[in-house]
Amino acid sequence: MPLVTSKEMFEKAYAGGYAIGAFNVNNMEIIQGIVAAGKEEQAPLILQVSAGARKYANPTYLKKLVEAAVEDTGLPICLHLDHGDSFELCKDCVDKGFTSVMIDASSKSFADNIKITRNVVEYAHDHGVVVEAELGKLAGIEDDVNVSAADACYTDPDQIQEFVEKTGVDSLAIAIGTSHGAFKFKGDAKLRFDILEEVGRRLPNFPIVLHGASSVPQYLAEEINRYGGNMPGAKGVPEEMLRQAASMAVCKINIDSDLRMAMTATLRKYFNDNPSHFDPRQYLGPARERVKEIVKHKIQNVLGCSGKAFN
Ligand code: G3H
Ligand code: 13P
Ligand code: ZN
C-alpha cells in the first residue's frame, strides 16, 4: 500500500466519533516507536514533519523512513507537513511525495490567510494532496515562532464558513485554548468547547484539527525532574478533554511534546542508571520502546482509533 491522504481517515473518524493521532517525527527511533504501536493497535496514523524536522533530518530521509514504515506495517499512513509557513515549503513537500500539507498563515490577516491558503490548495489538489489550514492563533513555541499568551486568540466561528468556502481547504486547525509545548496552563485547564460546538454546527461533517494537544503526563515530568531535568509546573490538556474533543468535530489530534518527554525521561534515567554505557543502541532502544508505550496509550485512551486501520 502506498502512503495515503487523510481524506478517508477523517471521514471515518468524523462518523465514528474518534480522532486520528498526528505524531511529529524527527528520526528513525521515533518513527519506529509510533508505527510499532499503530501496528499492535491496528490504528491509522498521521506522521508529521515540521520545518525544524526537515532541517534536522532532511525530508528525503524522513520520507524514505516513513515509506519503510508503510512497507513494514501495511498500515494506512499519511505523511504530513506540519506548520508549513509558505507556498514554497508546501510545494516542495508536495513535490517530494508528502500526501498532506499544512499551510499555517494564521499570523497573517484574514484576507491574506485566505489568499495564501487558496494558492496552496490549488497546487496540492492538482497533485492529489490534501491541505490543512489554521484560523485563530495558538500560544506557544513552534520552530522560530513564539506566540505569547497575550497574542494568541480564539478562532472566530463567524469567519470559518467563508474561510473554508474561499480556500477549498480539506481540514482546519482552530484555536480553543490549547497551546504548543509542555507548559500549557498555569491554573486549571480550560478549553472553549462552546467554540468547537459552534464550528461543528456551522461546518457539518468537516474535519477539525487540534494542535497543542499533548497531555503532558505528570509521571514523565517527575521522571525528568528526578534525573536532573527541569520541568516543574509542566501541564497539558487533560485526557478527558481530548476524548471529548475527539467525540465532537475534532478528527486530528497533534502530539509532539509527550513523545519528547517520553524519550527524554527514558534517556535521563538510562544514563543515570548506566553511566558507563556508550552504545547508542543501548539507550535509543528503550527510548523507542517508551515512544511506543505512550502512543499505544494515546490510541487506546485518548484517540479511540484502535482497530480502525481497515474498518
Ligand atoms: O507545533 C510544533 C511541533 O511540536 C513541532 O515542533 O517546530 O520544534 O519541530 P518543532
Ligand atoms: P504539543 O506541543 O502539545 O505536542 O503539540 C504539537 C503540535 O501541535 C504539532 O503541530
Ligand atoms: Zn501545531
Side-chain angles (χ1 to χ4, degrees), residues 24 48 82-83 179-181 184 211-214 254-257:
N24 286 73
Q48 54 188 14
D82 191 27
H83 293 286
S179 59
H180 293 108
K184 300 183 191 298
H211 282 247
S214 276
N254 282 15
I255 299 167
D256 186 6
S257 296

Side-chain angles (χ1 to χ4, degrees), residues 236-293:
V237 186
E239 290 188 347
E240 57 275 16
M241 286 191 181
L242 295 167
R243 276 201 300 274
Q244 189 182 339
S247 73
M248 299 166 72
V250 170
C251 293
K252 174 174 180 269
I253 288 190
N254 282 15
I255 299 167
D256 186 6
S257 296
D258 286 350
L259 307 188
R260 294 179 180 196
M261 288 178 73
M263 288 197 98
T264 303
T266 308
L267 291 171
R268 281 196 176 277
K269 180 170 188 323
Y270 189 89
F271 287 121
N272 180 76
D273 296 349
N274 305 282
S276 62
H277 285 187
F278 66 96
D279 178 342
R281 293 169 299 188
Q282 289 176 312
Y283 52 84
L284 291 178
R288 175 175 64 188
E289 192 57 30
R290 208 76 185 280
V291 168
K292 176 182 163 188
E293 267 171 37

Side-chain angles (χ1 to χ4, degrees), residues 197-245:
E197 212 176 326
E198 188 56 29
V199 167
R201 237 193 311 274
R202 297 198 191 195
L203 291 175
N205 295 317
F206 188 84
I208 297 301
V209 178
L210 204 57
H211 282 247
S214 276
S215 52
V216 185
Q218 285 310 293
Y219 67 91
L220 289 179
E222 278 158 22
E223 202 171 312
I224 289 170
N225 292 338
R226 190 175 325 132
Y227 296 106
N230 184 28
M231 300 190 80
K235 195 165 186 183
V237 186
E239 290 188 347
E240 57 275 16
M241 286 191 181
L242 295 167
R243 276 201 300 274
Q244 189 182 339

Side-chain angles (χ1 to χ4, degrees), residues 33-309:
I34 297 166
V35 302
K39 190 172 180 185
E40 281 186 19
E41 292 299 319
Q42 287 295 289
L45 292 169
I46 298 173
L47 301 183
Q48 54 188 14
V49 174
S50 69
R54 275 173 54 105
K55 226 183 282 169
Y56 173 76
N58 179 322
T60 307
Y61 283 81
L62 292 175
K63 163 97 188 315
K64 298 282 181 202
L65 285 168
V66 172
E67 280 173 350
V70 173
E71 190 179 321
D72 182 42
T73 63
L75 288 174
I77 296 179
C78 168
L79 178 58
H80 175 74
L81 167 68
D82 191 27
H83 293 286
D85 64 354
S86 66
F87 174 84
E88 289 71 27
L89 175 55
C90 292
K91 178 180 181 301
D92 189 57
C93 287
V94 170
D95 294 346
K96 285 197 164 58
F98 282 48
T99 49
S100 174
V101 292
M102 175 188 192
I103 173 69
D104 180 358
S106 59
S107 61
K108 305 271 193 288
S109 69
F110 184 62
D112 284 350
N113 192 352
I114 289 179
K115 200 164 136 200
I116 296 165
T117 302
R118 178 74 220 159
N119 279 345
V120 172
V121 167
E122 276 170 12
Y123 188 80
H125 283 185
D126 276 351
H127 293 78
V129 171
V130 294
V131 180
E132 171 187 331
E134 181 165 325
L135 200 53
K137 266 185 245 166
L138 268 70
I141 303 167
E142 46 195 71
D143 279 341
D144 306 327
V145 189
N146 185 350
V147 181
S148 74
D151 290 333
C153 62
Y154 296 118
T155 301
D156 178 357
D158 282 341
Q159 292 186 323
I160 56 158
Q161 276 161 316
E162 183 184 349
F163 186 85
V164 168
E165 272 162 28
K166 288 192 171 159
T167 58
V169 78
D170 302 282
S171 63
L172 186 65
I174 62 169
I176 59 168
T178 62
S179 59
H180 293 108
F183 299 85
K184 300 183 191 298
F185 299 101
K186 288 233 169 64
D188 289 344
K190 188 175 168 347
L191 292 195
R192 291 288 305 273
F193 282 103
D194 57 321
I195 295 180
L196 178 56
E197 212 176 326
E198 188 56 29
V199 167
R201 237 193 311 274
R202 297 198 191 195
L203 291 175
N205 295 317
F206 188 84
I208 297 301
V209 178
L210 204 57
H211 282 247
S214 276
S215 52
V216 185
Q218 285 310 293
Y219 67 91
L220 289 179
E222 278 158 22
E223 202 171 312
I224 289 170
N225 292 338
R226 190 175 325 132
Y227 296 106
N230 184 28
M231 300 190 80
K235 195 165 186 183
V237 186
E239 290 188 347
E240 57 275 16
M241 286 191 181
L242 295 167
R243 276 201 300 274
Q244 189 182 339
S247 73
M248 299 166 72
V250 170
C251 293
K252 174 174 180 269
I253 288 190
N254 282 15
I255 299 167
D256 186 6
S257 296
D258 286 350
L259 307 188
R260 294 179 180 196
M261 288 178 73
M263 288 197 98
T264 303
T266 308
L267 291 171
R268 281 196 176 277
K269 180 170 188 323
Y270 189 89
F271 287 121
N272 180 76
D273 296 349
N274 305 282
S276 62
H277 285 187
F278 66 96
D279 178 342
R281 293 169 299 188
Q282 289 176 312
Y283 52 84
L284 291 178
R288 175 175 64 188
E289 192 57 30
R290 208 76 185 280
V291 168
K292 176 182 163 188
E293 267 171 37
I294 194 149
V295 171
K296 273 189 82 155
H297 174 85
K298 300 282 173 188
I299 290 171
Q300 292 170 356
N301 301 287
V302 174
L303 302 160
C305 60
S306 191
K308 306 292 187 190

